Amino acid sequence: MSQATAGSGFMFSLYEQYIGEPKSKKQVYGYWLFLIGCLIGFAGVALFITTINSSTGNDLEVSFTARLAYTLAGLGLPIAIFGIVLLLPVRERAIHATLGGLAITVLGIFGFNVAYPSNWAGVGQDYTIPVIAVYATGLAVIAGVVVLVPILTGKEGMLVEDEVRGLDAHPPVLVGQQNHGTLFSVFRRPGEEWTWRAVQQSAIATSVEAANSRTAAKDAVGDLKSKVSNARLLEITTAAFRLYEDEQGVWRWVLLRDDGSVAAESGERYDSRDATEDSVSFTKDQGPSAPVLDIDGAAFDVYRDGDDWRWNLLDEDRSVIAEGAEAYGDEASADDAADEVANRIGDARVLAVDPFGVELYEDGDGWRWRLLDAEDDEVAVGEPTFDSRREAEADADELLGHLSDATVVEKGSAGYELYEDDGGWRWRLLDDEDDIVAESNPEATDRSAVRSGAERMAAAAEDAEAFEIDDADYEIYPGADGWHWRFVAEDRRVIADRTGGYETPEDAEDAIERVREQALEADLLEFETAAFQQYQTVAGDWRWRLIDEGGAVLADSGQAYDSKDDAGNAMATLKEKAPDADLLEIETAAFELFEDDGGDWGWRLIDEGGRLVADGADRHATKQGAREAMDFLVDHSPDADVRTVEGAGFQLYTDDADDWRWRCVHESNDVLALSPDGHATRDEAAASVDEVRPTAADAAINAVEHVAFEVDPGRGRRWDVIDRHRETLVEGREQYADAEEARQAIERLRSEGGDATIFAIDEAAIRLSGGSEGWRWELIDRDRTVYARSAGSYDVRARAATVIDEVRSLAPEAGELDFETAGFELVREDGQWYWQLLNADETVVAEGSTGYEDRGEAVDAIDRLREMLGTASVLEIDDPTFEVHQRDGGWIWRLVDEHGDALAESVETYPTRSAARERMNTLKEHAPSGALSVAG
């Protein structure tokens, strides 16, 4: 039916009579609603004006009239806008939204009538703002649709109707969705009723290139219409080269077969016709005899790159599996570089440094080693130089084995270092200048004992006082059962002591005074066999005892006697059983020299009562040694100082070289520490003690079992590896931003450095490295000169290793991909084989336009081309031309302008050449007068 019959009634008749043919009922309703809304609004305004002019002062009458005027005016505007919405190309959902907005405005108007005037404009409850807000919301919804639709009309949107969305307004054939279709055309002949006609549509031609705008596309159609009528069909009876110049003045050529299909095209674009003709001549002259460049295994391809020369190593598929590392000035240099790679790479060792590796290398007349990371950066260098590579390897291997246990110390930070020396353990104390300021007594051999000694030194040093011993001193010191005393020489030999506990230091000092007195008065008692001793006790009683030659008491009187004779008579009875025993009478203190069961000699001092006053601290190998110790006590006791010792003290003394030194002595007489160096004066030694005290108290304790990392904050936190004697074994090369970064680097080396691969580069090596961008390899020598590298990167290490093995096996036997003048090269692209004709500079002069699934088919195509080139002519086209080509087993036609640019081609592929020509002629006949329809 016609559009006029889509609706009926008075409104439709008036609209068709005075406005025009409506497209839909919605369009008619929209027009009348807009008109009605305007009339209602005008009526409300007119009523309001009348109300003002005829006001009688009666508030109720004015209020009712005003409410009616306001109601009409309020309804007119949303109804008029709703009519505009119906006139727009909107969906039903947009109409529903508008109806909702219209209902909200009606609700607002109703609220106004309820509130006005008793609760309006400041009177009563004042609902002015809520009512106006409701009305404005409804109006905004209606107006919003009107505003949004123009914005969304050119785009896909939920408010816009499908029929105005560009492509949907046109049949599928016109928008490229189908090649064939039927169009129903509805029309009315002048003075007649409406009718329709079914039109069969068929797409004939399509553009080859897309336009960037609607205007450009329309211009392209206009250009086609102007040229298609004069275009002629290029009828070729034999193969021919066609030369043409494009709009930019660039020349090129194509080789057409006798059926009009393209067999080849120029590999480059040329600036002049002469250059294009030279390219055609080269192809015609050299193509028939140019060899196909086959590769057996692999071949080196030396080629020109601008002004430079480079080389690639190609496999049988002509894939690049290796490439030169640099460019060369001439072809001979590039050839020599490729030959050198062929000679080096076969025996080259693969270096997979991950994460660390150790390289052995010659340095002057000796061998050294260096630690490398995965990027081949030098991390550290071994300091010693060795006579042989084997020695350097052994040193590196041994040091790497100790890295996991290496202690980390900080240069310039005071600390104790425990280390093993000649089978025993010792410690040294370093100050903040890394000078050794104290060291342990070398007598300790146990690591735990040495650590305990360092801890005792740290605990006692700060409060230790300095003192001197002039020949010998008495020292009073605490013990587990009270106070004790000892008589020590300057060299800390204990000459005599009394280990019996005294309650107070004063008691011990009183005992020392008795020793002083009695040592001067004591007689020397010497006996070689057992002897009877007769003595008077402090209480005045007399006693006796029998002692052996070692001084041990064999028997005693068991009771006290009133007189010496009574004791002697009792002793005489026992003497009958020991006739060889001497009789010793003790009236004053006495020194006794005796030999113990082990054959060693000792001495002791007993008072007149037979009590032990002092005992020699040591046993001597000879009787004379014991006598000399006893004499030392007698000679030096009167002048010896008495000193109470609690904790530790620093003893200042002179050594055999007359230098001043100090030793830190614990109250137990253990030597905690020694000064490492001698000093010229006593004051210098005392000053050294003052420096040691704070250092020893606060220093940390570290054990250097074999090696240690020494971090130097003054050199960017670089680290060295030192041995137990603080000799530098390895010098670090890297610097770190902060202590944490240095710590992480050392921890990584400690955990993974022991597994580092040790290698040496003789002639060359293949360095395999990986990163975020994949795995690559390079052929290098010991000086890190790069001779070759991988042609690309590989996702996994295994793939890179496979390519390396392939290169190592193929490169030594690879020939050179060479030809004198021209050669055909087969290349694979997107799964298809294509051929290219190269000149001596390996520039592509010609290339095939057809790809082949099989390489053999591409070789056959080259053979056919050779036959074609002998009889091919040269054409130059100055006008638009139709060409017929083969495609996908069928035929297509193409319209090419005088510049060789394709303007259009057939939409379909036709089974025969004549069918393609027939459709081409259809276009040529009807296109000049064809109508233009723009979709979208």
Side-chain angles (χ1 to χ4, degrees):
M1 72 175 55
S2 71
Q3 293 286 356
T5 59
S8 59
F10 181 69
M11 288 189 297
F12 280 84
S13 299
L14 288 178
Y15 187 93
E16 185 176 15
Q17 182 176 358
Y18 295 102
I19 305 301
E21 183 72 25
K23 295 182 178 179
S24 65
K25 295 180 180 180
K26 184 165 64 70
Q27 187 177 19
V28 177
Y29 294 147
Y31 171 78
W32 289 114
L33 279 177
F34 174 75
L35 184 61
I36 292 171
C38 290
L39 292 176
I40 294 175
F42 290 149
V45 173
L47 182 60
F48 176 75
I49 295 173
T50 304
T51 301
I52 293 176
N53 293 335
S54 60
S55 176
T56 60
N58 188 326
D59 290 340
L60 291 176
E61 293 180 2
V62 171
S63 175
F64 173 79
T65 306
R67 277 202 303 271
L68 180 59
Y70 294 152
T71 300
L72 293 176
L75 283 173
L77 180 59
I79 291 175
I81 298 177
F82 180 59
I84 296 175
V85 170
L86 295 181
L87 291 172
L88 294 173
V90 295
R91 293 178 181 267
E92 288 188 6
R93 66 186 63 171
I95 297 175
H96 295 160
T98 309
L99 287 172
L102 184 61
I104 294 174
T105 58
V106 172
L107 181 62
I109 294 172
F110 176 77
F112 167 78
N113 284 282
V114 172
Y116 183 81
S118 56
N119 293 297
W120 192 261
V123 179
Q125 297 294 328
D126 193 3
Y127 295 113
T128 305
I129 293 178
V131 170
I132 292 177
V134 171
Y135 180 79
T137 300
L139 201 61
V141 172
I142 302 172
V145 175
V146 177
V147 173
L148 287 176
V149 167
I151 296 175
L152 298 174
T153 300
K155 304 177 182 179
E156 293 292 332
M158 70 175 185
L159 300 180
V160 182
E161 286 185 342
D162 292 338
E163 62 225 27
V164 295
R165 288 188 181 175
L167 298 181
D168 291 339
H170 296 271
V173 174
L174 297 185
V175 294
Q177 295 177 348
Q178 294 181 8
N179 293 337
H180 301 279
T182 301
L183 171 66
F184 287 95
S185 176
V186 179
F187 60 94
R188 182 170 61 177
R189 295 187 179 91
E192 299 181 9
E193 293 297 325
W194 287 85
T195 186
W196 59 269
R197 181 179 290 174
V199 179
Q200 183 66 38
Q201 296 177 317
S202 178
I204 297 177
T206 186
S207 61
V208 177
E209 295 182 357
N212 56 12
S213 67
R214 178 186 301 189
T215 301
K218 292 171 66 176
D219 291 342
V221 173
D223 187 37
L224 173 69
K225 292 172 64 175
S226 65
K227 293 179 178 180
V228 69
S229 59
N230 297 323
R232 60 187 178 87
L233 175 63
L234 182 62
E235 293 286 356
I236 300 176
T237 57
T238 61
F241 288 93
R242 191 185 74 181
L243 284 64
Y244 51 86
E245 181 184 16
D246 64 18
E247 294 180 348
Q248 287 72 39
V250 177
W251 285 81
R252 53 187 172 174
W253 59 261
V254 294
L255 175 61
L256 304 176
R257 299 184 181 90
D258 55 5
D259 59 11
S261 60
V262 177
E265 59 185 21
S266 57
E268 293 186 346
R269 306 298 182 258
Y270 304 97
D271 296 333
S272 64
R273 176 186 175 90
D274 292 340
T276 310
E277 290 178 345
D278 291 342
S279 174
V280 171
S281 299
F282 179 88
T283 304
K284 285 175 59 65
D285 296 340
Q286 304 299 330
S289 59
V292 177
L293 304 177
D294 283 327
I295 298 176
D296 184 12
F300 285 98
D301 180 20
V302 179
Y303 63 96
R304 182 189 291 276
D305 182 17
D307 295 332
D308 299 321
W309 286 83
R310 296 181 178 272
W311 65 262
N312 288 331
L313 179 63
L314 310 177
D315 63 10
E316 289 184 340
D317 296 333
R318 300 194 65 80
S319 298
V320 179
I321 56 176
E323 63 184 17
E326 58 181 277
Y328 303 92
D330 52 63
E331 184 178 8
S333 299
D335 285 334
D336 293 341
D339 291 340
E340 186 168 10
V341 169
N343 294 331
R344 287 175 176 266
I345 202 168
D347 298 326
R349 176 182 177 180
V350 179
L351 305 178
V353 178
D354 184 23
F356 298 105
V358 173
E359 179 185 6
L360 310 177
Y361 65 98
E362 287 186 278
D363 184 18
D365 296 331
W367 283 83
R368 300 182 69 182
W369 62 268
R370 58 188 168 201
L371 181 67
L372 307 174
D373 62 12
E375 285 73 37
D376 204 40
D377 294 329
E378 196 174 71
V379 178
V381 176
E383 277 298 293
T385 300
F386 301 92
D387 295 333
S388 67
R389 182 165 69 180
R390 178 66 62 190
E391 291 176 330
E393 181 181 7
D395 180 76
D397 188 53
E398 181 181 5
L399 188 138
L400 292 175
H402 295 319
L403 287 182
S404 60
D405 299 326
T407 303
V408 180
V409 298
E410 185 169 300
K411 189 177 182 64
S413 179
Y416 293 91
E417 289 183 354
L418 313 183
Y419 63 99
E420 194 174 10
D421 183 36
D422 296 331
W425 280 85
R426 301 188 65 186
W427 61 258
R428 55 181 168 247
L429 175 63
L430 282 74
D431 63 9
D432 54 10
E433 298 294 333
D434 277 347
D435 294 326
I436 300 176
V437 296
E439 57 188 11
S440 63
N441 191 332
E443 296 177 357
T445 58
D446 182 71
R447 176 175 176 175
S448 61
V450 171
R451 175 177 287 276
S452 176
E455 293 171 348
R456 292 170 70 191
M457 178 66 178
E462 189 168 15
D463 297 327
E465 297 293 336
F467 65 92
E468 294 179 57
I469 296 178
D470 187 9
D471 293 331
D473 279 346
Y474 284 99
E475 291 181 348
I476 300 172
Y477 62 95
D481 55 348
W483 289 86
H484 307 270
W485 65 263
R486 59 179 171 246
F487 185 64
V488 295
E490 183 182 13
D491 60 1
R492 299 307 303 175
R493 286 183 299 114
V494 179
I495 305 301
D497 61 8
R498 186 68 175 93
T499 57
Y502 299 94
E503 291 185 3
T504 65
E506 289 74 15
D507 294 339
E509 189 170 357
D510 291 342
I512 291 172
E513 292 304 320
R514 289 195 300 272
V515 171
R516 287 181 195 269
E517 296 172 0
Q518 295 178 6
L520 294 175
E521 301 174 355
D523 296 328
L524 175 61
L525 301 178
E526 300 181 73
F527 49 91
E528 298 179 357
T529 61
F532 285 97
Q533 289 182 343
Q534 189 175 1
Y535 59 94
Q536 188 177 23
T537 66
V538 177
D541 298 328
W542 286 88
R543 289 178 175 271
W544 63 263
R545 63 189 172 193
L546 176 62
I547 60 174
D548 64 12
E549 63 274 13
V553 178
L554 300 178
D556 61 23
S557 60
Q559 64 182 25
Y561 299 92
D562 295 334
S563 66
K564 180 179 180 181
D565 291 338
D566 292 339
N569 292 332
M571 181 179 63
T573 303
L574 183 62
K575 191 175 186 307
E576 294 176 358
K577 298 181 180 180
D580 296 331
D582 295 331
L583 176 60
L584 302 176
E585 294 185 9
I586 301 176
E587 297 181 357
T588 62
F591 284 104
E592 293 180 352
L593 291 175
F594 60 89
E595 186 178 14
D596 62 17
D597 294 338
D600 294 327
W601 286 84
W603 65 267
R604 57 178 167 248
L605 177 63
I606 60 175
D607 62 11
E608 66 278 7
R611 293 184 297 272
L612 181 65
V613 177
D615 190 12
D618 297 322
R619 295 292 182 262
H620 305 274
T622 64
K623 184 177 181 180
Q624 182 61 30
R627 182 187 296 274
E628 290 175 356
M630 180 190 70
D631 291 342
F632 186 90
L633 173 68
V634 174
D635 293 340
H636 295 91
S637 177
D639 300 325
D641 294 332
V642 179
R643 181 177 60 260
T644 300
V645 179
E646 291 187 77
F650 287 95
Q651 179 191 349
L652 304 178
Y653 67 97
T654 55
D655 60 13
D656 295 338
D658 207 25
D659 288 331
W660 281 91
R661 291 179 176 270
W662 59 259
R663 60 172 67 94
C664 185
V665 184
H666 192 260
E667 61 187 23
S668 62
N669 205 40
D670 294 334
V671 178
L672 299 182
L674 301 172
S675 59
D677 302 311
H679 303 276
T681 66
R682 179 189 181 282
D683 290 343
E684 290 180 3
S688 172
V689 169
D690 292 338
E691 294 175 358
V692 167
R693 284 193 187 99
T695 302
D698 300 330
I701 301 177
N702 297 301
V704 182
E705 187 166 356
H706 294 97
V707 295
F709 288 96
E710 184 180 52
V711 180
D712 188 353
R715 295 191 306 158
R717 308 207 71 84
R718 288 171 58 177
W719 55 260
D720 295 337
V721 177
I722 59 175
D723 65 5
R724 66 189 67 178
H725 303 296
R726 298 199 62 77
E727 294 292 332
T728 300
L729 302 179
V730 179
E731 183 178 327
R733 290 288 192 257
E734 296 184 340
Q735 295 186 356
Y736 305 95
D738 50 42
E740 178 61 21
E741 185 178 344
R743 186 194 65 79
Q744 291 178 356
I746 291 174
E747 286 302 318
R748 186 183 184 199
L749 188 57
R750 289 175 61 185
S751 62
E752 303 181 42
D755 298 328
T757 302
I758 301 178
F759 63 90
I761 300 176
D762 294 323
E763 294 297 328
I766 299 174
R767 180 175 60 200
L768 178 61
S769 59
S772 58
E773 297 180 358
W775 289 86
R776 293 178 172 271
W777 61 263
E778 292 178 333
L779 178 66
I780 59 174
D781 63 9
R782 66 182 62 177
D783 296 325
R784 294 307 189 270
T785 301
V786 180
Y787 295 93
R789 58 168 54 99
S790 58
S793 61
Y794 306 94
D795 294 337
V796 294
R797 176 175 172 173
R799 174 56 183 157
T802 300
V803 174
I804 291 174
D805 292 340
E806 182 182 4
V807 173
R808 292 173 64 190
S809 63
L810 295 177
E813 303 298 329
E816 185 174 342
L817 188 65
D818 192 15
F819 50 91
E820 294 183 359
T821 306
F824 284 101
E825 179 183 42
L826 298 176
V827 295
R828 189 171 178 83
E829 182 177 341
D830 297 333
Q832 298 280 316
W833 285 94
Y834 295 86
W835 62 260
Q836 297 176 342
L837 179 63
L838 309 179
N839 62 15
D841 295 335
E842 296 196 21
T843 300
V844 178
V845 179
E847 56 188 6
S849 58
T850 304
Y852 302 93
E853 295 289 340
D854 183 69
R855 186 175 184 274
E857 294 178 358
V859 175
D860 294 340
I862 293 175
D863 293 337
R864 293 192 296 271
L865 177 72
R866 290 193 180 106
E867 298 176 359
M868 189 187 310
L869 291 176
T871 58
S873 58
V874 179
L875 302 174
E876 183 176 352
I877 307 302
D878 297 326
D879 297 316
T881 307
F882 281 104
E883 297 176 349
V884 179
H885 301 272
Q886 284 185 312
R887 177 188 290 174
D888 299 331
W891 291 84
I892 67 166
W893 59 260
R894 178 180 294 175
L895 177 62
V896 182
D897 65 10
E898 65 275 14
H899 302 298
D901 295 327
L903 301 179
E905 65 180 17
S906 59
V907 174
E908 298 183 39
T909 300
Y910 302 98
T912 63
R913 188 171 189 270
S914 59
R917 289 189 60 183
E918 181 180 351
R919 297 302 288 174
M920 177 193 70
N921 290 328
T922 301
L923 175 70
K924 186 175 182 180
E925 178 181 356
H926 296 287
S929 59
L932 176 62
S933 174
V934 179

Short mmCIF file of all heavy atoms in Angstrom, two decimals, residues 72 256 405 644 649 891:
data_model
loop_
_atom_site.label_atom_id
_atom_site.label_comp_id
_atom_site.label_asym_id
_atom_site.label_seq_id
_atom_site.Cartn_x
_atom_site.Cartn_y
_atom_site.Cartn_z
N LEU A 72 -2.58 25.74 32.02
CA LEU A 72 -2.52 25.68 30.55
C LEU A 72 -1.11 25.99 30.04
O LEU A 72 -0.60 25.31 29.14
CB LEU A 72 -3.53 26.67 29.96
CG LEU A 72 -5.01 26.33 30.20
CD1 LEU A 72 -5.92 27.43 29.63
CD2 LEU A 72 -5.38 25.00 29.55
N LEU A 256 53.27 -8.97 -18.37
CA LEU A 256 51.98 -9.61 -18.61
C LEU A 256 52.15 -10.82 -19.51
O LEU A 256 52.91 -10.79 -20.47
CB LEU A 256 51.00 -8.62 -19.25
CG LEU A 256 50.76 -7.30 -18.48
CD1 LEU A 256 49.85 -6.39 -19.29
CD2 LEU A 256 50.15 -7.59 -17.12
N ASP A 405 80.00 -19.93 52.84
CA ASP A 405 80.24 -19.76 54.26
C ASP A 405 80.95 -18.45 54.58
O ASP A 405 81.32 -18.21 55.73
CB ASP A 405 81.10 -20.92 54.80
CG ASP A 405 80.41 -22.26 54.62
OD1 ASP A 405 79.18 -22.29 54.74
OD2 ASP A 405 81.11 -23.26 54.36
N THR A 644 95.09 -5.43 94.32
CA THR A 644 93.84 -6.20 94.27
C THR A 644 93.32 -6.17 92.84
O THR A 644 93.18 -5.09 92.25
CB THR A 644 92.79 -5.62 95.23
OG1 THR A 644 93.31 -5.66 96.56
CG2 THR A 644 91.50 -6.42 95.16
N GLY A 649 92.82 -6.13 83.62
CA GLY A 649 93.68 -4.96 83.60
C GLY A 649 94.66 -5.06 82.46
O GLY A 649 94.96 -6.14 81.95
N TRP A 891 38.95 -16.04 -13.57
CA TRP A 891 39.38 -14.82 -14.27
C TRP A 891 38.70 -13.61 -13.65
O TRP A 891 37.54 -13.68 -13.24
CB TRP A 891 39.02 -14.90 -15.76
CG TRP A 891 39.84 -15.95 -16.48
CD1 TRP A 891 39.60 -17.27 -16.55
CD2 TRP A 891 41.03 -15.69 -17.20
NE1 TRP A 891 40.57 -17.91 -17.27
CE2 TRP A 891 41.48 -16.95 -17.71
CE3 TRP A 891 41.77 -14.55 -17.53
CZ2 TRP A 891 42.62 -17.09 -18.49
CZ3 TRP A 891 42.91 -14.68 -18.30
CH2 TRP A 891 43.34 -15.95 -18.76
#
